[in-house]
Structures are given as C-alpha cells and as structure tokens.
Amino acid sequence: MTQARAPRADAVRNRKKILTAAGEQITAHGPDVGMDEIAAAAGVAVGTLYRHFPTKTDLVAAVVAEYVARVAHDAEAALARAADGTGRALDELTAFLGRVVEQSVTDRAVKAAAQTLGAEPGDHADEDRAGSAVAALIRAGQADGDIHPDVTVNDIYLLFSTAPTDQPPAARARWLALVTPGLTTGARQIKN
C-alpha cells in the first residue's frame, strides 16, 4: 500500500492565500464576488484556484471549515487554561464568547455566502471538538460553583446566534456584559 504524498509547500501556501483572499473578498463584496476576483486577490492563477476548489461552494465550505477550526482551537485553549489553573472557567467561557462574537463580525458575510450557496463543511470533527471543549469548560465552571447548573452548550450556541454582530464594538461589549450574568450562579433566579 502506498502512502499519500504530503502536499508541496507551494500548494499549501497557495491554498492558504486562496482561503484568506476568499474570506476577505466575500466580506468586502458579498457572496456574488467572482472566482476571478478571488484568484487575483490571492495572487494566483484562476486555474490554481480551481485545482484547489472546483466550485465556489467548495471554496466557501473550506473558508467556513477554517473558521470552525479556529473556534475549536480557541475553545480547547480556553479549556486548557481553566484546567491548568491559569484562568477560571467562567472567565475563560466569557472571554471565548467575546472572541467568537468579534470573529463572527468579520466572518458574517462568509456565513451568509455559505447559506446562499448551501456550502457546508463535510467534516464536522472541528464542530465536535469545539462543542466538547465548551461542554467541559461549562462543567468546570459548574464544579467551581460559578456557572449555573442548567447552562448547556446549546445555550452558548443560542447566545452566538443572538449576538449583535452588525452593531459597533461598544454594543457588542454591552451585549456580552448583559448576557454573562445569565450564565452565573448568583445572578438570576429560576422560576418554576
């Protein structure tokens, strides 16, 4: 059995340049930006772009997958800090929420393009990694007595979906300040 060859360094660089340019171009010009414009912004030939991404849907799905991978890495890093004691779980979860919201501001157009084109990453491993890390962070905060016992990963996803990503930074900071107490043990009363 032969092993698959590792991609050449120039192919890896080109893929990275294409993904970066695609995110920037879609953010700046919307989902209708052409593949030619993306290739030009990446500094690669159109043929190179199509070798990596045969369709625009494939390209947008890859941009979304890269975003999800960054979120997963961030969630795991927050969990690691909480686990090693360099950060409290509640503080790490709150900071993670803030970072994801800020990153979503720039990736909002890419998500809109993904919905328009029906582009979805085929591999959900990074989503699973992010969800697992956030769940562990929540459990750690609950064990510390800081995060309310009924908070779940789905609650965090709900918060992300309601974040004011179309508002200025001050409004996003205010949103975070308002939702954070809802996660904590001492800030709210549960009515049955």
Side-chain angles (χ1 to χ4, degrees):
M1 186 171 11
T2 61
Q3 288 185 346
R5 268 187 338 173
R8 293 184 347 230
D10 64 329
V12 171
R13 277 191 307 273
N14 284 341
R15 180 180 172 82
K16 178 75 175 143
K17 290 190 316 189
I18 291 166
L19 289 172
T20 299
E24 291 170 354
Q25 291 296 305
I26 292 168
T27 297
H29 305 290
D32 293 332
V33 67
M35 295 289 267
D36 293 344
E37 289 84 4
I38 293 170
V44 301
V46 174
T48 300
L49 185 148
Y50 280 109
R51 262 192 308 283
H52 286 277
F53 306 101
T55 68
K56 191 171 184 182
T57 301
D58 295 329
L59 175 58
V60 173
V63 172
V64 171
E66 188 176 71
Y67 166 79
V68 173
R70 286 191 312 266
V71 170
H73 176 74
D74 189 0
E76 290 172 337
L79 176 60
R81 287 187 298 274
D84 72 14
T86 57
R88 289 193 60 80
L90 175 61
D91 297 336
E92 291 296 334
L93 182 61
T94 302
F96 171 73
L97 275 169
R99 288 188 302 272
V100 171
V101 168
E102 289 307 309
Q103 190 172 359
S104 295
V105 169
T106 57
D107 292 332
R108 190 175 71 232
V110 173
K111 289 179 186 172
Q115 289 175 338
T116 299
L117 296 170
E120 251 192 68
D123 182 6
H124 295 282
D126 288 326
E127 285 179 35
D128 295 341
R129 283 179 40 227
S132 293
V134 170
L137 199 53
I138 290 168
R139 285 191 303 273
Q142 290 167 334
D144 291 342
D146 295 334
I147 295 178
H148 201 279
D150 71 351
V151 173
T152 68
V153 173
N154 287 337
D155 294 329
I156 302 305
Y157 292 154
L158 177 63
L159 291 176
F160 288 144
S161 72
T162 64
T165 56
D166 59 343
Q167 298 293 313
R172 294 190 302 270
R174 178 72 176 146
W175 172 86
L176 187 59
L178 290 171
V179 301
T180 300
L183 301 173
T184 64
T185 52
R188 64 184 168 116
Q189 298 290 324
I190 300 290
K191 294 183 182 178
N192 292 334

